[in-house]
Amino acid sequence: MANDTAFHPQNDDKMTEPFLIGDSMTGGYGKGPDILHDCTISVNRGEIAVIVGPNGAGKSTAMKAVFGMLDVRGGAVRLDGDDITALTPQQRVVQGMGFVPQTSNIFTSLTVEENLEMGAFIRRDDFRGTMAQVYDLFPILKEKRLQAAGELSGGQRQQVAVGRALMTQPKVLMLDEPTAGVSPIVMDELFDRIIEVARTGIPILMVEQNARQALEIADKGYVLVQGRNAHTGTGKELLADSEVRRSFLGG
Amino acid sequence: MDLLNSLIVLTNFVLVPALAYGAQLAIGALGVTLIYGILRFSNFAHGDTMAFSTTITILFTWWFQSIGANFGPLPTALLALPFGIAITALLMLGTDRIVYRFYRQQKAKPVILVIVSMGVMFVMNGLVRFIIGVGDQNFADGERFIFTVREFRDWSGLEEGFGIRTTQAITVITAVIVVALLFWFLNKTRTGKSMRAFSDNEDLALLSGINPERVVMVTWLIVAALTTIAGVLYGLDKSFKPFTYFQLLLPIFAAAIVGGLGSPLGAIAGGFVIAFSEVTITYAWKKVLVYALPDGLEPSGLAQLMSTDYKFAVSFVILIIVLLFRPTGLFKGQSV
Amino acid sequence: MNTSVRNTALFAFVGLLILGTGIVQGWNSALLILNMGLISAIMSLGVNLQWGFAGLFNVGVMGFVALGGLAAVLVSMPPVTEAWAAGGLRVIAGLLLGAATIAAAIYARSHMTGRTRSIALLAILIGGFFLFRAVFDGGVSAVEAINPASTGYLGGLGLPILFSWPVGGLLAAGAAWIIGKTALGLRSDYLAIATLGIAEIIIALLKNEDWLARGVKNVIGLPRPVPREIDLQRDAGFVERAASLGLDPVIASTLYTKIGYAILFSIVLIILLWLAQKALNSPWGRMMRAIRDNEVAAEAMGKNVKARHLQIFILGSAICGIAGAMMTTLDGQLTPGSYQPLRFTFLVWVMVIVGGSGNNFGAVLGGLLIWWLWVQVEPLGRGLMELVTSGMADGSSLKKSLLDSAAYMRLFTMGVILLVVLRFSPRGLIPER
């Protein structure tokens, strides 16, 4: 595929366009009303992009739209220049997108190792190398690899969930509120891990409640309000923006 | 010496029969629990599917007997078992295709699927009676005993003895093999793990690229094997009668629920809990007590807690007790 | 087509089926079908109350029907005085002891704590059980020894059998209360298994407790609410009137009796249907359906879901009990061996689903229609098999087995009908409005 597109006239776009982009998306669930309005979310190679905003702003919805979990009626989703708007979530996983849902994101009755194996289900090649990488990133998982994932602590479960998504060797990783419901200490540790994952070269798109901490590690930030882009910029810019500070970061 | 005698009577009338019955219930309950875990409904057609698969096996057994094929001292039915499994598997895949798949795609509520399985139950019921009628069929052949009560008595010199029927031994050995195979499959193979993953978290399984139709197909195949084995073992050990198989639904479900619906380990535990309670409560303990208790204390009556006609009541009461105090079962099952 | 025209047409169609049966197979058969059809419609009304109104999954219909049958015996048969003298009071005392044991256990459970509670509970239950058996067993054997060939049981109250209909409802309601208290509030499949179990237990009780209703020895010759054929035939006035209508007195008497039953059953059906319609359209009915459609929301609005469920479970079961008493009255005998779950539980479910769950008229229609089919599938199947086998040599074993198998056609057909309706018309013939 990559070789074919090398001769494609769109090649120039590929150099300038972000690696993954949900471009001017408008849509909602099934036949329901539109939740997103002309909303654009993207992430560049090697970067971390975060989506923040008040409750009910459509943060998770925007991410789900990028992942194909709702009907996008206007706009397009492109991965590495290829239009993937019509693909199902499963097909997007095959195309190289890794997704960690906010809840029920692990197999609680399976062991940690089995969770990782199931993450690699679509792979027919030897995935032991990838598993070793995941264990390197999350040493605690190696220690607990024969325990049922449901018996782990909240932070450890999130690591299992991220590790599971990494098993497909995704080209981009999407995290839906990875720190929801964990203590501040665990949250800091999780953010450290996420930075580490990003350092391995995988672009990360995530939705976060904890806007300030998330923007601190973000290369790019999106503030959504009622399904629309309200502010866009680098993490630092948004943190410095007085309006963003006033309305979302509590001064 | 008296205590030894009482233990031997206990073995002969309680332990051995309950062990065999428990193994049969356990295999039956495994089928129920797998369907519940993967397809997420209580399959009311299970008893009648057992009757169907046993019917087919009996037909093959008769055919083998007529052409003189046999399995030496073992029942010919064991030879026919693979054929019974194969045909049952075909029937189940066919039923899934024309009946259940539609509701799966509709994402129908579990209770609707239960009602659908009632329809399948009727059809199976009619089918079995079409093929083999309503009467009792005894299809056990081969050696009847591994050793008899008399042989044991002569060997041990005790007053009492116990015997083991071939079918009882086969039941327990087969059950051990089946359970070992099943657990190996579920815990060690990729497909087995994907079934557990699907049962645990359907959405995440789909996200991981697990093909639900394939999981469902494998489930039906395993359930076909389990129902056939359970049905044939029960039929060999007792006898085959379509209506009895329908009634097995109750103890089998009780076993699956007591163990925790959706939990294979629970199904096995539940099978033995139900079987041992049923046998001990409906057994007339007089003979055991006569040996066990000192002279003058032995009971005047039969010392039977409940007549055997109430064996359903036993599974029912255990079921209710478990549901009241531990609704997810002994081993934590699912709740939908 | 507007719904009321359509519904009238459907009922008219069932009417035509029964009329057609009368013309082709004789009025006696037609009335037989009609009478059982009316009773089936009542059972179906009861199940619809539970499933259609409240979404409760009761597969223990057989048990409630059988309790109704028991009521018919207990109310209408004359008391067996010798049996009462021999051990009746002892049996009653035994039962009271049993009840007291359970009451004491429940009291202990709610008024004690910790280990003492467990020990006390065990002691009460085990001690109570043996005490109960000691008193009860002696009474039972004394009662059963009295003329076992014709009585051997305590008999009934000797009241008119019509009283047994409400009593059957009460008995069923009592059983439903016990089951509901324990199993309601659990998951729907658990309630299903629990009701399936209790139905088997009730049948086991009826089969084995000879002192109560003679067990499998059956109670025959129950009193009847309408005149006996034989009495009518001896009645000169009746014979004369029959002759004036050009009827044979024997035929006239059977028709007269059956029409009498049909009228009685119709009255009960109409009353129950009227009540059910009233209930459906009352605030209570709307609340029930609201609970059915969204239990969580209803609970959040302060509705006591469990209590409402218990209420409707008892009501529906009571209706099944009434129908059971009516059926035993029609049969004139109680035969515990004839209660089969497929016939008395699952067939009623087919009636409700095919008729239209949630709609009382649908349930009634389903009851009448499916009962007609249940009866007629067998002759239809035999006709079909005769047609299929007509080319085969007489005496061939295949021909014989095919002809024999016609009897099992009805189970198969009912299954197929249920599956087809669920698939293509899941709301039934007369859908819920």
Side-chain angles (χ1 to χ4, degrees), chain B residues 268-292:
Chain B
I268 295 166
F272 286 104
V273 167
I274 296 289
F276 273 90
S277 334
E278 230 176 66
V279 175
T280 46
I281 290 179
T282 56
Y283 173 64
W285 287 86
K286 179 174 186 177
K287 214 169 168 188
V288 174
L289 294 178
V290 164
Y291 283 110

Side-chain angles (χ1 to χ4, degrees), chain B residues 126-158:
Chain B
L127 217 54
V128 168
R129 284 160 178 75
F130 261 135
I131 300 173
I132 206 163
V134 290
D136 249 310
Q137 309 286 347
N138 195 338
F139 59 104
D141 54 5
E143 214 50 64
R144 257 177 66 65
F145 286 97
I146 291 185
F147 59 88
T148 61
V149 173
R150 177 188 293 274
E151 281 164 0
F152 180 88
R153 263 199 313 238
D154 292 348
W155 170 80
S156 67
L158 287 169

Side-chain angles (χ1 to χ4, degrees), chain C residues 4-327:
Chain C
S4 66
V5 175
R6 189 185 128 94
N7 295 351
T8 318
L10 281 168
F11 274 101
F13 174 69
V14 175
L16 275 179
L17 285 178
I18 293 171
L19 282 179
T21 309
I23 293 162
V24 177
Q25 296 172 341
W27 294 104
N28 203 17
S29 320
L31 283 171
L32 264 175
I33 294 181
L34 177 67
N35 283 337
M36 264 315 290
L38 290 168
I39 292 175
S40 301
I42 295 176
M43 293 179 192
S44 154
L45 212 53
V47 172
N48 182 46
L49 206 59
Q50 297 173 337
W51 168 245
F53 282 31
L56 297 180
F57 197 62
N58 172 11
V59 278
V61 182
M62 175 177 75
F64 300 113
V65 169
L67 281 178
L70 176 65
V73 170
L74 295 186
V75 169
S76 72
M77 288 307 274
V80 181
T81 38
E82 304 96 305
W84 274 102
L89 292 178
R90 195 166 164 186
V91 167
I92 302 295
L95 288 177
L96 288 177
L97 263 176
T101 305
I102 293 172
I106 292 173
Y107 180 84
R109 191 170 169 242
S110 54
H111 285 79
M112 291 165 108
T113 48
R115 176 167 270 169
T116 33
R117 181 170 81 167
S118 315
I119 294 169
L121 264 180
L122 265 180
I124 291 171
L125 286 176
I126 293 175
F129 178 78
F130 284 103
L131 202 61
F132 157 73
R133 285 289 297 263
V135 176
F136 182 71
D137 286 6
V140 166
S141 41
V143 167
E144 289 174 2
I146 304 291
N147 196 3
S150 63
T151 56
Y153 76 125
L154 288 174
L157 300 171
L159 297 170
I161 196 160
L162 281 182
F163 285 123
S164 76
W165 298 3
V167 172
L170 285 178
L171 270 188
W177 181 77
I178 295 173
I179 303 164
K181 268 287 181 196
T182 43
L184 282 175
L186 295 168
R187 296 222 339 268
S188 58
D189 333 33
Y190 289 180
L191 177 66
I193 301 295
T195 48
L196 192 71
I198 203 82
E200 290 291 344
I201 292 173
I202 290 172
I203 299 301
L205 277 170
L206 284 188
K207 278 185 182 167
N208 294 296
E209 300 303 315
D210 287 11
W211 61 272
L212 184 63
R214 302 197 74 226
V216 284
K217 290 184 287 182
N218 304 336
V219 178
I220 54 171
L222 294 178
R224 295 163 56 154
V226 294
R228 284 177 190 277
E229 290 89 339
I230 200 91
D231 297 333
L232 286 173
Q233 286 159 31
R234 289 203 197 104
D235 178 354
F238 179 81
V239 174
E240 201 173 297
R241 258 179 293 145
S244 72
L245 288 166
L247 284 172
D248 175 68
V250 176
I251 296 176
S253 65
T254 57
L255 292 184
Y256 181 87
T257 322
K258 291 202 169 65
I259 290 172
Y261 277 120
I263 292 170
L264 282 174
F265 293 165
S266 300
I267 293 170
V268 176
L269 176 62
I270 288 168
I271 293 173
L272 288 175
L273 182 62
W274 181 76
L275 285 173
Q277 275 303 98
K278 272 280 195 207
L280 181 69
N281 296 317
S282 68
W284 181 82
R286 279 193 292 278
M287 175 180 65
M288 280 300 173
R289 280 175 292 163
I291 292 176
R292 177 196 65 187
D293 293 336
N294 194 340
E295 221 167 278
V296 180
E299 199 139 32
M301 289 191 306
K303 307 289 181 208
N304 188 344
V305 173
K306 203 175 165 192
R308 296 287 84 75
H309 275 172
L310 185 62
Q311 215 170 35
I312 205 155
F313 186 70
I314 290 174
L315 281 177
S317 303
I319 292 182
C320 293
I322 294 173
M326 290 163 63
M327 191 185 75

